Amino acid sequence: MPDRAFTFLPPPSHDAEIERVLNALAAGSTNPGELETEGVDLKEEASRRAGSEVLPGQPRDERVAKQLAAEAACFANTRGGGVIIVGVDDRTGELIGAVSDTDWLRTRLYQLTDSKVTVDIREAEVKGSRLLVIVVPQAVEPVPFERKYQHRRGAACVPVTSTQLLQGLFAGVAADPSHRESGMKVDETSDSAFRSLLRRAAVLDSRRSSLSRRDLLARLGLLYGDTDSLNHAGEILLGSRAFPALDYTYRRVPGGPSLARVCEGGLSLLEELDLVEAEYTRRNPFRELTLGLAVIRVHAIPERTLREAILNGVCHRDWHQHEPTVVEHIGHELRVTSPGGLMGDVSVDNIITHPSLPRYRTLMNAVRQLGLVEQEGTGVDRMVADLIRVGSEPPLIEATEQPAVRVVLRGCPVDVGRFQFFAGLRMPSEDQGMPPEPASDDVDAALLVWRAMNPETAFLTAHSCAPLLQRTPADTTQVLRRVASYRTADDRPLLARVPVPDGTPPAWHLSRGARSGLRAPRVLPATATAWVRERKRISSAEYSAIASVSQPTANSHLRDLAKAEGLVPSRPSGRGPGFHYLYAESTERSDQQQ
């Protein structure tokens, strides 16, 4: 069956319209009224005029960014999006050229549209003039600019309310670009792409192997309604493309030679994934561990975490961009950089706890049915828990200016003791009389243990842990109380309470049994310093608990800490029941208030 060239998500009419307008300009057309449509707008860069004189302009002019951001927001609120051709006088059709830096402009348009619109900017030369062709996709939610909403009507942007947009353009599946019709027919899918789809589909349900091509695509939600056309989700997965969607490189050490590269055009996404999966599986070392009667393989980068990072980098990316998702596999580290920013109000500071907000819902539903990614809302959680469990750090997730999202997984040789410790962790059963339930996948518990094992952050409070868990302090308190009820494999408590005065916020630390099972490093004096600065006081009992030292040792260390930090004794004698040290800053503030 013939392959069909994959065109990414912008409707083919955009390319036809762009070609029509550029050809007309090259032929000398000077009538913008004949060139501008509901999907095409001509603009010259703001600030390029002084009367009739054309000014040189600047590559990074904020006035230009704001001018074009307003136009981009307008097209994003219009069905199918649109195209802005920059460098043309929209009154006379005169070619004056464009001087804006494309990378800077794309970043600023993303920022000025509340991180909701990622445009594709191409350069074109017409009669010696450099023009910018800005392709704006339809957004998945209404996009304001300076708190106002506009959409395209005819050849103009007109005001509209967010309510009208939600009731019309963005209602139901209309705001899901991957649900729209692609124009690709069922019989245009290649045999090799379909074999990959069938193989993955049959893993979760062997009955799927007997389905016809059309029936399987329909079952996975990859057809457009009751037609023989694929939707864009189907085209993304099965359509071949001239440019690769994935660029995978393996190096043994940073800066070393590339030992493997997968970056091939002419394939479907599923076929590219097959090639990348084969490479990263070969190059991700593992150890075999015995847990009970089972022998399991534990990889340096946990297998499902590695797969989840790559699949998320493909499925959550912005498919209006032509750049590939870049996968850099360097030793035990994996870096996945995917084009497009985070969706809506998702940020790196709430990505663990924020409800899943896929850019392409139909695509995500299909890959979940294929078992390629975890169930909705659990992917990042699992990555965090898996990495901590093998002895590594939580993943680093950053939003870059391009815009793009980068996920860094720092694997390591497996810490057998820590892996076995988490495998034995149990939470109380909700049904009385039933045995405890496994807690190894609890991301909150993993993060709290990871923090408490750090020699400088050994105590756990709602104030100190809320940013780590990405929760409110009140919710963090409830999490701490829940995790404190967990037991280790030898039935010891996971956490123990720090003895704090009545009426003050509770605090916890790793129990002695847990510290021993985890082989946690010795707590550093910096932990006591952090405690004093948060709590504004410290006693020998508190120090003894958080540092896991004896009372006499705590007294000795506290005297040294008091000198280093300028702590003030609560009574001149320096002894007696309830004696503690006060943080000097709080004491001075109290004296001033009196």
Side-chain angles (χ1 to χ4, degrees):
M1 293 184 183
D3 290 354
R4 180 182 183 277
F6 182 73
T7 59
F8 290 81
L9 286 180
S13 59
H14 282 347
D15 290 335
E17 282 289 87
I18 291 169
E19 185 176 3
R20 176 185 68 83
V21 174
L22 294 182
N23 285 340
L25 291 171
S29 173
T30 57
N31 186 351
E34 295 178 353
L35 302 180
E36 292 185 321
T37 65
E38 186 164 279
V40 177
D41 196 21
L42 305 178
K43 279 285 177 284
E44 69 175 40
E45 292 164 314
S47 75
R48 292 292 305 279
R49 291 278 186 180
S52 59
E53 180 185 359
V54 177
L55 303 177
Q58 298 294 327
R60 300 188 176 192
D61 192 314
E62 191 65 17
R63 290 169 291 182
V64 175
K66 289 183 176 180
Q67 168 207 21
L68 297 178
E71 297 295 322
C74 175
F75 274 124
N77 292 330
T78 304
R79 189 173 302 281
V83 178
I84 311 168
I85 297 180
V86 184
V88 184
D89 187 329
D90 57 0
R91 297 165 299 175
T92 66
E94 177 188 0
L95 298 175
I96 66 170
V99 298
S100 293
D101 178 278
T102 55
D103 291 338
W104 172 84
L105 182 59
R106 184 169 65 171
T107 298
R108 288 300 293 140
L109 296 186
Y110 176 72
Q111 294 168 342
L112 290 169
T113 54
D114 295 339
S115 304
K116 294 180 179 179
V117 180
T118 306
V119 302
D120 179 34
I121 305 181
R122 316 167 191 174
E123 295 185 14
E125 183 174 325
V126 177
K127 300 177 71 173
S129 294
R130 172 184 181 259
L131 306 182
L132 299 182
V133 179
I134 303 177
V135 180
V136 184
Q138 178 186 325
V140 297
E141 59 180 304
V143 179
F145 178 72
E146 295 184 346
R147 302 182 180 180
K148 297 178 181 178
Y149 296 88
Q150 290 189 311
H151 67 160
R152 194 82 169 169
R153 279 292 175 263
C157 289
V158 298
V160 65
T161 67
S162 60
T163 301
Q164 289 172 319
L165 288 171
L166 288 169
Q167 291 175 345
L169 178 64
F170 295 97
V173 297
D176 176 12
S178 65
H179 177 76
R180 299 176 199 150
E181 185 175 10
S182 70
M184 182 178 184
K185 302 297 183 181
V186 171
D187 60 4
E188 291 179 314
T189 57
S190 71
D191 290 338
S192 57
F194 184 74
R195 282 194 299 270
S196 179
L197 179 73
L198 186 62
R199 176 178 57 81
R200 293 179 182 274
V203 169
L204 295 184
D205 186 346
S206 60
R207 293 171 298 180
R208 292 172 172 173
S209 60
S210 61
L211 296 175
S212 68
R213 187 170 299 207
R214 188 187 186 286
D215 286 346
L216 178 59
L217 292 171
R219 185 76 60 87
L220 296 172
L222 298 177
L223 292 184
Y224 182 73
D226 189 24
T227 71
D228 286 328
S229 294
L230 275 66
N231 53 32
H232 275 302
E235 185 183 22
I236 288 173
L237 290 173
L238 298 167
S240 61
R241 58 183 59 76
F243 302 100
L246 279 165
D247 184 352
Y248 170 91
T249 305
Y250 174 77
R251 292 181 171 85
R252 186 169 288 114
V253 294
S258 173
L259 302 179
R261 180 85 183 275
V262 177
C263 187
E264 296 187 30
L267 300 175
S268 68
L269 175 59
L270 288 178
E271 291 171 287
E272 289 188 65
L273 286 170
D274 288 342
L275 295 175
V276 170
E277 186 175 303
E279 284 295 340
Y280 73 61
T281 299
R282 288 198 310 117
R283 302 177 186 281
N284 188 19
F286 63 87
R287 291 188 62 173
E288 290 189 341
L289 303 181
T290 301
L291 292 178
L293 299 177
V295 177
I296 63 172
R297 288 184 174 184
V298 184
H299 291 80
I301 303 176
E303 198 169 18
R304 70 176 178 181
T305 295
L306 190 155
R307 184 181 67 250
E308 190 83 9
I310 294 176
L311 265 295
N312 279 343
V314 169
C315 296
H316 287 292
R317 61 162 288 167
D318 187 341
W319 280 98
H320 295 95
Q321 307 303 307
H322 289 248
E323 297 89 350
T325 296
V326 177
V327 182
E328 301 168 276
H329 193 174
I330 307 170
H332 292 161
E333 181 173 295
L334 191 83
R335 302 176 186 175
V336 181
T337 305
S338 55
L342 294 167
M343 282 289 294
D345 56 354
V346 178
S347 71
V348 296
D349 297 321
N350 66 12
I351 196 168
I352 295 176
T353 54
H354 196 287
S356 178
L357 190 61
R359 181 178 269 110
Y360 306 115
R361 294 193 297 273
T362 304
L363 174 63
M364 287 304 299
N365 181 62
V367 296
R368 287 192 185 100
Q369 289 192 67
L370 291 170
L372 292 173
V373 297
E374 296 290 337
Q375 291 302 306
E376 186 169 356
T378 64
V380 176
D381 295 25
R382 293 286 174 84
M383 286 195 286
V384 171
D386 283 354
L387 283 169
I388 291 174
R389 208 165 41 185
V390 298
S392 186
E393 301 176 351
L396 172 66
I397 302 175
E398 35 183 16
T400 68
E401 288 188 352
Q402 279 71 14
V405 177
R406 180 176 295 121
V407 176
V408 181
L409 310 178
R410 295 192 175 100
C412 63
V414 179
D415 184 325
V416 176
R418 189 184 301 189
F419 189 87
Q420 292 174 332
F421 178 89
F422 275 104
L425 200 60
R426 296 291 183 269
M427 68 176 78
S429 174
E430 294 183 358
D431 296 330
Q432 290 186 348
M434 296 297 291
E437 300 177 3
S440 57
D441 278 339
D442 188 327
V443 65
D444 293 322
L447 285 167
L448 291 174
V449 169
W450 175 74
R451 176 185 166 85
M453 285 187 66
N454 187 324
E456 298 184 359
T457 59
F459 66 89
L460 307 171
T461 64
H463 175 81
S464 62
C465 296
L468 176 68
L469 300 185
Q470 299 183 359
R471 297 177 182 269
T472 66
D475 286 345
T476 302
T477 298
Q478 296 304 313
V479 170
L480 283 162
R481 288 174 176 156
R482 170 171 58 81
V483 174
S485 70
Y486 291 5
R487 311 289 291 188
T488 63
D490 53 359
D491 202 32
R492 298 183 183 186
L494 176 61
L495 303 180
R497 292 287 287 263
V498 178
V500 298
D502 293 341
T504 61
W508 289 264
H509 63 96
L510 285 175
S511 70
R512 289 184 181 273
R515 291 191 65 82
S516 174
L518 288 162
R519 297 193 295 275
R522 183 186 299 273
V523 177
L524 298 178
T527 289
T529 301
W531 174 274
V532 170
R533 290 178 178 172
E534 178 183 328
R535 312 285 291 204
K536 308 306 179 188
R537 53 153 287 149
I538 190 169
S539 68
S540 60
E542 292 166 346
Y543 187 97
S544 174
I546 63 176
S548 292
V549 296
S550 66
Q551 195 76 22
T553 300
N555 286 327
S556 174
H557 286 186
L558 267 182
R559 285 192 290 270
D560 294 338
L561 181 68
K563 293 178 183 178
E565 291 292 323
L567 304 183
V568 178
S570 61
R571 60 172 67 99
S573 65
R575 64 184 66 185
F579 173 75
H580 59 277
Y581 289 93
L582 296 169
Y583 193 41
E585 181 182 278
S586 62
T587 304
E588 292 171 3
R589 187 180 300 112
S590 176
D591 292 341
Q592 291 171 359
Q593 291 174 347
Q594 293 177 0

